[in-house]
């Protein structure tokens, strides 16, 4: 059980749907070598959704905090909100670009894991810059692993009471990850979660 994991919109229009901050520290704006003018997030339909309530349910997408429905669309909304939040904290000083994000893995915690031992929010995506006019790639695809610890048991309940739901924590974490990818990618390191992360 200790190994359990599981866990294209223009900025001006998508920003309206970004979630509210809950006691999130304000981050000083930092400079990037590119100016992101819009964010495009895709969640391929080839990614397998698992609804199994197990400690490790398999699949590519595990998400339970929204009502049953189109999990691909739900994940896209979460990741899009996170990317927009991260981009807004960055002052772009270079060439205008579209930030293209393709989700390859989105494992939050199942009910069983959330209620007991906790685990890993296993989040992975591919990022690439594209020309806003032509769509031509301006950078090589970069695989980003953004895993972090997911709360379980009493810690999960305490976090929820403080407004720190899985959605809020994932949104804030991904926002921080993309902020660093834009400003200092060479020094980015995913959290080291031992066997839990390796298993995922």
């Amino acid at each position: 059980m200790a190994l359990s994991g599981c866990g294209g919109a223009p900025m001006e229009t998508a920003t309206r749907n970004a979630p509210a901050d809950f006691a999130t520290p304000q981050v000083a704006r930092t400079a990037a070598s590119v100016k992101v003018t819009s964010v495009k997030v895709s969640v391929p339909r080839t990614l397998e959704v698992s609804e199994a309530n197990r400690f490790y349910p398999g699949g590519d997408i595990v998400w339970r905090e929204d009502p049953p429905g189109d999990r691909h669309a739900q994940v896209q909304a979460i990741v899009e909100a996170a990317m927009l939040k991260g981009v807004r904290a960055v002052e772009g000083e270079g060439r205008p670009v579209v930030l293209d994000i393709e989700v390859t893995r989105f494992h939050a915690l199942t009910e069983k894991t959330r209620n007991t031992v906790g685990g890993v929010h296993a989040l992975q995506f591919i990022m690439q810059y594209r020309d806003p006019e032509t769509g031509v790639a301006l950078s090589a695809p970069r695989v980003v692993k953004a895993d972090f610890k997911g709360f379980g048991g009493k810690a999960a309940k305490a976090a929820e009471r403080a407004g720190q739901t899985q959605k809020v924590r994932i949104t804030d974490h991904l926002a921080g990850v993309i902020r660093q990818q834009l400003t200092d990618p060479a020094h980015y390191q995913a959290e080291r979660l031992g066997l839990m992360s390796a298993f995922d």
Side-chain angles (χ1 to χ4, degrees):
M1 289 189 299
L3 293 177
S4 58
C6 298
M11 287 178 60
E12 57 268 26
T13 56
T15 302
R16 293 195 302 264
N17 298 322
D21 292 341
F22 292 96
T24 303
Q26 294 299 310
V27 179
R29 294 176 72 86
T30 51
S33 61
V34 294
K35 181 178 180 63
V36 177
T37 60
S38 64
V39 175
K40 179 184 176 184
V41 176
S42 62
V43 182
R45 291 284 162 174
T46 53
L47 295 182
E48 182 182 353
V49 176
S50 175
E51 298 287 351
N53 188 16
R54 299 196 299 262
F55 287 111
Y56 192 82
D60 304 303
I61 293 175
V62 175
W63 177 244
R64 305 297 164 75
E65 227 172 54
D66 285 318
D70 186 339
R71 298 301 190 193
H72 293 81
Q74 292 168 358
V75 166
Q76 181 178 0
I78 294 166
V79 175
E80 187 173 87
M83 296 299 148
L84 289 168
K85 182 175 183 177
V87 165
R88 285 197 300 267
V90 174
E91 292 283 2
E93 296 181 339
R95 179 175 183 170
V97 299
V98 172
L99 176 60
D100 197 354
I101 302 290
E102 179 183 328
V103 176
T104 57
R105 188 169 184 79
F106 190 98
H107 261 230
L109 304 187
T110 63
E111 301 91 327
K112 187 176 236 183
T113 306
R114 179 81 169 164
N115 290 331
T116 54
V117 296
V120 174
H121 294 303
L123 312 169
Q124 296 176 29
F125 59 89
I126 300 169
M127 65 175 288
Q128 190 169 30
Y129 300 138
R130 294 190 179 275
D131 185 277
E133 299 296 329
T134 66
V136 170
L138 300 176
S139 67
R142 185 186 311 159
V143 177
V144 180
K145 185 174 183 179
D147 296 1
F148 73 107
K149 182 173 175 56
F151 296 143
K154 292 180 179 179
K157 290 181 173 59
E160 288 178 0
R161 286 195 296 271
Q164 294 293 307
T165 62
Q166 290 187 84
K167 184 181 289 188
V168 169
R169 294 191 70 227
I170 289 171
T171 299
D172 288 346
H173 179 74
L174 287 177
V177 168
I178 201 62
R179 189 165 55 241
Q180 187 166 3
Q181 289 294 325
L182 291 171
T183 58
D184 191 20
H187 291 95
Y188 172 77
Q189 285 189 338
E191 286 189 31
R192 296 185 179 184
L193 299 170
L195 286 176
M196 285 194 299
S197 190
F199 190 67
D200 240 314

